[in-house]
Amino acid sequence: MADPRYTASGSFRVRPHRPWRNVILGAIALAALGAGGWALYELGLRHGGYEARMARATEAHLRIDVEELRDRVSKLAQRNTLLERAERIEREARERLRGVIEAREGRIAQLQEELAFYRNLVSPSEMEPGLHIRRLSLRAVDGAARLYEYELVLTQINSSDRYVSGRIDLSVRGRRGGDAATVELADLATDEEPETEFRFKYFQTLTGRISVPQGVEPDRLRLRVAPSGGRLESLEEDYSWDSLLSGGQ
Protein backbone atom coordinates (compact mmCIF):
# COMPACT_ATOMS: atom_id res chain seq x y z
CA MET A 1 0.00 0.00 0.00
CA ALA A 2 1.40 3.45 -0.97
CA ASP A 3 2.24 5.87 1.78
CA PRO A 4 0.08 8.96 1.43
CA ARG A 5 2.97 11.09 2.56
CA TYR A 6 4.86 10.43 -0.73
CA THR A 7 4.09 11.18 -4.34
CA ALA A 8 4.40 8.83 -7.25
CA SER A 9 7.91 10.11 -7.98
CA GLY A 10 8.99 9.36 -4.47
CA SER A 11 9.00 12.95 -3.24
CA PHE A 12 7.20 14.17 -0.09
CA ARG A 13 3.62 15.54 -0.32
CA VAL A 14 3.35 18.83 1.47
CA ARG A 15 0.00 19.47 3.32
CA PRO A 16 -0.80 22.68 5.16
CA HIS A 17 -1.29 22.18 8.91
CA ARG A 18 -4.19 24.30 10.44
CA PRO A 19 -4.94 23.12 13.99
CA TRP A 20 -6.95 26.22 14.86
CA ARG A 21 -9.58 25.34 12.23
CA ASN A 22 -10.52 22.14 14.02
CA VAL A 23 -10.83 24.03 17.27
CA ILE A 24 -13.10 26.62 15.68
CA LEU A 25 -15.25 23.95 14.06
CA GLY A 26 -15.54 22.10 17.36
CA ALA A 27 -16.48 25.28 19.17
CA ILE A 28 -19.12 26.09 16.57
CA ALA A 29 -20.59 22.57 16.81
CA LEU A 30 -20.59 22.76 20.60
CA ALA A 31 -22.28 26.15 20.54
CA ALA A 32 -24.89 24.89 18.08
CA LEU A 33 -25.52 21.87 20.24
CA GLY A 34 -25.88 24.01 23.36
CA ALA A 35 -28.22 26.44 21.64
CA GLY A 36 -30.37 23.59 20.40
CA GLY A 37 -30.50 22.03 23.82
CA TRP A 38 -31.41 25.34 25.41
CA ALA A 39 -34.12 25.89 22.83
CA LEU A 40 -35.51 22.44 23.56
CA TYR A 41 -35.34 23.16 27.27
CA GLU A 42 -37.21 26.45 26.84
CA LEU A 43 -39.78 24.76 24.64
CA GLY A 44 -40.29 21.98 27.16
CA LEU A 45 -40.48 24.47 30.00
CA ARG A 46 -43.09 26.59 28.23
CA HIS A 47 -45.09 23.52 27.22
CA GLY A 48 -44.86 22.05 30.69
CA GLY A 49 -45.96 25.34 32.29
CA TYR A 50 -48.99 25.51 30.03
CA GLU A 51 -50.00 21.98 30.90
CA ALA A 52 -49.50 22.74 34.59
CA ARG A 53 -51.68 25.86 34.34
CA MET A 54 -54.34 23.87 32.52
CA ALA A 55 -54.19 21.15 35.18
CA ARG A 56 -54.51 23.72 37.98
CA ALA A 57 -57.43 25.40 36.22
CA THR A 58 -59.16 22.06 35.72
CA GLU A 59 -58.55 21.14 39.37
CA ALA A 60 -60.01 24.48 40.48
CA HIS A 61 -63.15 23.91 38.38
CA LEU A 62 -63.50 20.40 39.75
CA ARG A 63 -63.16 21.66 43.30
CA ILE A 64 -65.94 24.19 42.64
CA ASP A 65 -68.14 21.48 41.13
CA VAL A 66 -67.50 19.19 44.12
CA GLU A 67 -68.40 21.94 46.60
CA GLU A 68 -71.57 22.73 44.68
CA LEU A 69 -72.51 19.06 44.62
CA ARG A 70 -71.84 18.74 48.35
CA ASP A 71 -73.99 21.78 49.05
CA ARG A 72 -76.77 20.39 46.88
CA VAL A 73 -76.58 16.96 48.55
CA SER A 74 -76.72 18.64 51.98
CA LYS A 75 -79.79 20.68 50.99
CA LEU A 76 -81.48 17.58 49.54
CA ALA A 77 -80.71 15.63 52.72
CA GLN A 78 -82.23 18.41 54.85
CA ARG A 79 -85.30 18.54 52.62
CA ASN A 80 -85.68 14.77 52.81
CA THR A 81 -85.45 14.92 56.62
CA LEU A 82 -88.14 17.61 56.72
CA LEU A 83 -90.39 15.61 54.39
CA GLU A 84 -89.96 12.45 56.49
CA ARG A 85 -90.73 14.40 59.65
CA ALA A 86 -93.81 15.98 58.07
CA GLU A 87 -94.99 12.57 56.84
CA ARG A 88 -94.50 11.06 60.31
CA ILE A 89 -96.40 13.91 61.95
CA GLU A 90 -99.20 13.57 59.40
CA ARG A 91 -99.34 9.79 59.91
CA GLU A 92 -99.49 10.18 63.69
CA ALA A 93 -102.19 12.82 63.31
CA ARG A 94 -104.21 10.46 61.11
CA GLU A 95 -103.83 7.66 63.66
CA ARG A 96 -104.94 9.95 66.49
CA LEU A 97 -107.89 11.20 64.44
CA ARG A 98 -108.87 7.63 63.59
CA GLY A 99 -108.73 6.73 67.27
CA VAL A 100 -110.83 9.76 68.21
CA ILE A 101 -113.40 8.91 65.53
CA GLU A 102 -113.60 5.28 66.64
CA ALA A 103 -113.93 6.33 70.28
CA ARG A 104 -116.69 8.80 69.40
CA GLU A 105 -118.51 6.24 67.29
CA GLY A 106 -118.34 3.80 70.18
CA ARG A 107 -119.53 6.49 72.58
CA ILE A 108 -122.41 7.39 70.24
CA ALA A 109 -123.48 3.74 70.09
CA GLN A 110 -123.28 3.54 73.88
CA LEU A 111 -125.28 6.74 74.30
CA GLN A 112 -127.92 5.48 71.89
CA GLU A 113 -128.19 2.28 73.89
CA GLU A 114 -128.40 4.24 77.15
CA LEU A 115 -130.99 6.58 75.64
CA ALA A 116 -133.19 3.65 74.71
CA PHE A 117 -132.69 2.29 78.21
CA TYR A 118 -133.59 5.61 79.84
CA ARG A 119 -136.72 5.91 77.70
CA ASN A 120 -137.87 2.58 79.05
CA LEU A 121 -137.16 3.81 82.56
CA VAL A 122 -139.09 7.02 82.07
CA SER A 123 -142.14 5.29 80.68
CA PRO A 124 -142.28 1.79 82.17
CA SER A 125 -145.83 1.19 81.01
CA GLU A 126 -145.58 -2.59 81.19
CA MET A 127 -143.43 -2.86 84.31
CA GLU A 128 -144.85 -3.29 87.79
CA PRO A 129 -143.50 -1.28 90.72
CA GLY A 130 -140.60 -2.90 92.51
CA LEU A 131 -137.11 -4.25 91.82
CA HIS A 132 -136.35 -5.66 88.37
CA ILE A 133 -133.48 -7.45 86.64
CA ARG A 134 -133.15 -5.42 83.48
CA ARG A 135 -130.28 -7.24 81.74
CA LEU A 136 -127.60 -9.86 82.44
CA SER A 137 -124.81 -10.75 80.01
CA LEU A 138 -121.51 -12.66 79.96
CA ARG A 139 -118.34 -12.02 77.97
CA ALA A 140 -115.41 -14.41 77.62
CA VAL A 141 -112.22 -12.59 78.70
CA ASP A 142 -109.78 -15.50 78.49
CA GLY A 143 -111.09 -18.77 77.13
CA ALA A 144 -107.99 -20.75 78.11
CA ALA A 145 -108.21 -19.50 81.70
CA ARG A 146 -112.02 -19.89 81.65
CA LEU A 147 -112.35 -16.27 82.76
CA TYR A 148 -115.65 -14.42 82.15
CA GLU A 149 -116.98 -10.95 82.82
CA TYR A 150 -120.60 -10.36 83.74
CA GLU A 151 -122.72 -7.20 83.49
CA LEU A 152 -125.95 -6.89 85.43
CA VAL A 153 -128.42 -3.98 85.18
CA LEU A 154 -130.96 -3.58 88.01
CA THR A 155 -133.87 -1.13 87.98
CA GLN A 156 -136.46 0.03 90.49
CA ILE A 157 -139.91 1.32 89.68
CA ASN A 158 -141.53 3.26 92.52
CA SER A 159 -143.30 6.51 93.23
CA SER A 160 -141.56 7.40 96.49
CA ASP A 161 -138.02 7.94 95.09
CA ARG A 162 -136.57 5.77 97.83
CA TYR A 163 -133.19 4.05 97.54
CA VAL A 164 -132.93 0.30 97.39
CA SER A 165 -129.84 -1.58 98.58
CA GLY A 166 -128.76 -5.18 98.93
CA ARG A 167 -126.47 -7.74 97.34
CA ILE A 168 -126.42 -10.29 94.55
CA ASP A 169 -125.25 -13.88 94.46
CA LEU A 170 -124.17 -16.00 91.49
CA SER A 171 -123.69 -19.72 91.03
CA VAL A 172 -122.82 -21.87 88.03
CA ARG A 173 -124.60 -25.13 87.40
CA GLY A 174 -123.32 -27.76 85.04
CA ARG A 175 -121.55 -31.11 85.00
CA ARG A 176 -118.24 -32.37 86.29
CA GLY A 177 -117.11 -35.76 85.05
CA GLY A 178 -120.64 -36.71 84.01
CA ASP A 179 -122.21 -35.72 87.36
CA ALA A 180 -124.25 -32.63 88.12
CA ALA A 181 -122.24 -29.90 89.81
CA THR A 182 -122.92 -26.47 91.33
CA VAL A 183 -120.14 -23.92 91.83
CA GLU A 184 -120.91 -21.10 94.26
CA LEU A 185 -119.65 -17.53 93.91
CA ALA A 186 -116.89 -18.06 96.50
CA ASP A 187 -115.37 -20.73 94.22
CA LEU A 188 -115.86 -18.54 91.13
CA ALA A 189 -113.99 -15.55 92.54
CA THR A 190 -110.86 -14.15 90.89
CA ASP A 191 -108.13 -11.79 92.08
CA GLU A 192 -110.49 -8.89 91.34
CA GLU A 193 -113.32 -8.49 93.80
CA PRO A 194 -116.63 -8.58 91.85
CA GLU A 195 -119.39 -6.04 92.47
CA THR A 196 -122.02 -7.82 94.51
CA GLU A 197 -123.53 -4.97 96.57
CA PHE A 198 -125.91 -2.39 95.14
CA ARG A 199 -127.59 0.84 96.22
CA PHE A 200 -129.56 3.00 93.82
CA LYS A 201 -132.78 4.93 93.31
CA TYR A 202 -133.60 4.22 89.66
CA PHE A 203 -131.00 1.85 88.20
CA GLN A 204 -127.46 0.52 88.67
CA THR A 205 -125.01 -1.52 86.58
CA LEU A 206 -122.92 -4.14 88.38
CA THR A 207 -119.90 -5.76 86.75
CA GLY A 208 -117.38 -8.39 87.82
CA ARG A 209 -115.35 -11.39 86.74
CA ILE A 210 -115.77 -15.06 87.52
CA SER A 211 -113.50 -18.00 86.79
CA VAL A 212 -115.05 -21.40 86.10
CA PRO A 213 -112.95 -24.22 87.63
CA GLN A 214 -111.29 -26.70 85.31
CA GLY A 215 -113.35 -29.82 84.68
CA VAL A 216 -116.69 -28.07 85.10
CA GLU A 217 -118.81 -27.71 81.99
CA PRO A 218 -121.21 -24.83 82.72
CA ASP A 219 -124.79 -25.14 81.56
CA ARG A 220 -126.71 -22.47 83.49
CA LEU A 221 -126.09 -19.41 85.66
CA ARG A 222 -128.24 -18.82 88.72
CA LEU A 223 -128.71 -15.19 89.85
CA ARG A 224 -130.20 -14.13 93.16
CA VAL A 225 -130.89 -10.47 93.99
CA ALA A 226 -131.56 -9.92 97.70
CA PRO A 227 -132.63 -6.38 98.72
CA SER A 228 -132.16 -5.42 102.34
CA GLY A 229 -134.77 -3.96 104.66
CA GLY A 230 -137.61 -6.30 103.77
CA ARG A 231 -139.45 -3.65 101.75
CA LEU A 232 -138.90 -5.43 98.42
CA GLU A 233 -138.94 -9.10 97.61
CA SER A 234 -135.87 -11.02 96.49
CA LEU A 235 -135.46 -12.00 92.86
CA GLU A 236 -134.07 -15.27 91.55
CA GLU A 237 -133.53 -16.18 87.91
CA ASP A 238 -131.94 -19.12 86.07
CA TYR A 239 -130.22 -18.31 82.72
CA SER A 240 -128.86 -20.45 79.93
CA TRP A 241 -125.06 -20.12 79.83
CA ASP A 242 -124.91 -20.08 76.04
CA SER A 243 -127.63 -17.43 75.74
CA LEU A 244 -125.77 -15.16 78.18
CA LEU A 245 -122.59 -15.48 76.10
CA SER A 246 -124.45 -14.74 72.87
CA GLY A 247 -125.78 -11.37 74.01
CA GLY A 248 -127.43 -11.66 77.35
CA GLN A 249 -130.98 -11.63 78.62
Side-chain angles (χ1 to χ4, degrees), residues 50-198:
Y50 174 76
E51 293 292 339
R53 288 193 299 272
M54 290 295 295
R56 286 194 295 270
T58 302
E59 182 181 2
H61 285 297
L62 290 176
R63 288 182 181 275
I64 294 174
D65 291 342
V66 169
E67 292 300 327
E68 290 179 352
L69 288 175
R70 286 179 178 173
D71 183 63
R72 185 176 181 184
V73 168
S74 177
K75 291 180 179 179
L76 289 175
Q78 293 177 1
R79 182 179 179 185
N80 184 61
T81 301
L82 292 175
L83 290 175
E84 289 180 350
R85 185 179 305 168
E87 182 182 2
R88 184 176 65 253
I89 293 174
E90 183 179 358
R91 183 170 60 252
E92 292 175 355
R94 287 198 303 268
E95 292 297 329
R96 288 195 297 269
L97 181 60
R98 184 180 296 109
V100 170
I101 292 174
E102 291 177 354
R104 289 184 177 179
E105 289 178 348
R107 180 57 178 164
I108 290 173
Q110 181 181 2
L111 290 175
Q112 289 176 342
E113 181 180 356
E114 291 179 358
L115 179 60
F117 176 71
Y118 293 149
R119 284 174 177 171
N120 291 333
L121 289 180
V122 173
S123 56
S125 58
E126 299 180 0
M127 297 181 64
E128 297 179 358
L131 184 63
H132 297 271
I133 300 172
R134 189 65 176 178
R135 185 176 69 247
L136 177 62
S137 62
L138 277 178
R139 182 178 66 89
V141 178
D142 188 346
R146 301 167 67 84
L147 183 64
Y148 302 88
E149 184 177 70
Y150 67 82
E151 182 180 89
L152 171 65
V153 180
L154 299 176
T155 61
Q156 178 186 213
I157 305 300
N158 60 35
S159 57
S160 60
D161 287 343
R162 297 175 61 181
Y163 281 89
V164 59
S165 61
R167 62 177 293 109
I168 67 169
D169 188 26
L170 296 171
S171 62
V172 173
R173 299 187 177 186
R175 307 194 70 80
R176 189 201 309 259
D179 298 328
T182 300
V183 184
E184 302 296 338
L185 182 59
D187 297 323
L188 297 171
T190 65
D191 295 337
E192 300 179 12
E193 189 70 21
E195 289 187 83
T196 57
E197 297 184 357
F198 59 86

